[in-house]
Amino acid sequence: MAKQFETIALIGIGLIGSSIAREIKDKGLAGSVTVSTRSEATLKRAQDLNLGDRYTTSAAEAVRDADLVIVSVPVGASGAVAAEIAAHLKPGAIVTDVGSTKGSVIAQMAPHMPQGVHFIPGHPIAGTEYSGPDAGFIGLFKGRWCILTPLPDTDEAAKARLRTFWETLGSMVDDMDPEHHDKVLAIVSHLPHIIAYNIVGTADDLEAVTESEVIKYSASGFRDFTRLAASDPTMWRDVCLHNKDAILEMLARFSEDLAYLQRAIRWGDGDKLFDLFTRTRAIRRSIVQAGQDTDMADFGRHAMDQK
Amino acid sequence: MAKQFETIALIGIGLIGSSIAREIKDKGLAGSVTVSTRSEATLKRAQDLNLGDRYTTSAAEAVRDADLVIVSVPVGASGAVAAEIAAHLKPGAIVTDVGSTKGSVIAQMAPHMPQGVHFIPGHPIAGTEYSGPDAGFIGLFKGRWCILTPLPDTDEAAKARLRTFWETLGSMVDDMDPEHHDKVLAIVSHLPHIIAYNIVGTADDLEAVTESEVIKYSASGFRDFTRLAASDPTMWRDVCLHNKDAILEMLARFSEDLAYLQRAIRWGDGDKLFDLFTRTRAIRRSIVQAGQDTDMADFGRHAMDQK
């Protein structure tokens, strides 16, 4: 494929950053890739994995001649990165990020962005429970949505270039208002992770049921939650702290609905239970039809076992 | 393999019953298999799938000459099945079930069981989100635990035969007190399903976020929950109604823990969040080490996509 940018700087080289790095190299999308991360050990690992062309622990140095800067750090670190790189950005450069909260990232980064630099926040809806530069892989973004939350004065040409970049990685791209993004993600991503962390914590704390029992019999449903609850703690702490309002709103609704369900169980109201349990089946079907999940039983776990 | 029973009667031929039928045939464990279900359409389908040797809508007729009777119906129907078959059971026959609640099944079935029949309740910890005779497959029980909750006066020889049967299907077998079983399953299976149904319902009810957005962006966590929430509504309604006390206890604990987490989010207590999010990772690791889940990222979804 054709080169899209002369120099790309990747600030942060975890699951997302390193997947982007692999895609850029695989598809020849940049003349040169500079990888930057604060941790020397992680930078060394990125170098061993041959993820870029230049390596530095200084984000400021990394962005100096970059046409595209992709910030892939826990959202709580976005402000510090923006402050560090601001004075060193090349005029005309595109700066984007991959954070799971957009209102907070914009509030942290936008004030630092100099005139003539195109800051276009973004969020690829993709990931796994693993983290770090080894966790990335080609294909992570394929068939997944990437949401851009451009600011009102965004340059259309710059946005089109960023859109093309994500499409080349296999994504479908949507524009969205940052505040709406944060509400949508609160229900489709943040709440599921918080609930998963919570139930795994509850199970871990029981006195009547041992941890070894929880582990042995986890195939009956529990193990599904442990996957989400194995996600990167730093990333998820930051998401909770930086999308507080939307998360608290969704948590309140979830708890209200759970109280209703709990009451139906207590009073033996089978019809209410049956109605809810039937309605939710249709949503699963729609997700499979939309190509956003496999229709194989149990996520294809048994099919994998057979091989 | 060697024949273990002359005649086996399968009462109920859904995901579990039909998987057992396929295993019996595949491994030659019975001289003859009688399939029984109340629905004529389902019975016809079982016959088309060649799951047994004889077919009848009458459970009473099915058990007449059976040495092993396996009841695989929603737990709310156990009592009616027991009442129907009681007078027709062969002396010395083993009667077992596969229900996800044991206290209630014992209360419903045990009073009907005649002298000389060995009633040994059981529960294979296996399943998928699909249901019905087409959903069953060989290998469903492989590497999974099967819990037996024998009554105090259980015949050891009969129990050993049932144990061997499940082991031949690839299961590891544990004995457990029924009350303890119900507590364990409440946390590892019932609560996860209830939570999954609940969050999918909450998402479906939002005004600020459309259903199409929930579906499009579901790969960010939500889709995992929709799998459990696509499980058989009748089965899960019955589980909720028949393991009420243990489920309400676990729900109370879960809600209490969620309130604590919610408070940490509201007050920006990052350390509390980080501590919980770190602790839960270890449980995932233990489950993978115990062979109860894959270590492939995202349950191997991406690996499946590549093929």
Side-chain angles (χ1 to χ4, degrees), chain A residues 59-70:
Chain A
E61 194 183 310
V63 305
R64 216 176 289 273
D65 56 357
D67 307 292
L68 173 63
V69 176
I70 305 178

Side-chain angles (χ1 to χ4, degrees), chain A residues 48-96:
Chain A
D48 292 346
L49 292 166
N50 195 25
L51 295 176
D53 303 292
R54 283 179 297 168
Y55 302 87
T56 170
T57 53
S58 160
E61 194 183 310
V63 305
R64 216 176 289 273
D65 56 357
D67 307 292
L68 173 63
V69 176
I70 305 178
V71 178
S72 314
V73 301
V75 290
S78 314
V81 168
E84 187 185 348
I85 63 176
H88 309 275
L89 288 165
K90 190 169 142 180
I94 297 172
V95 177
T96 189

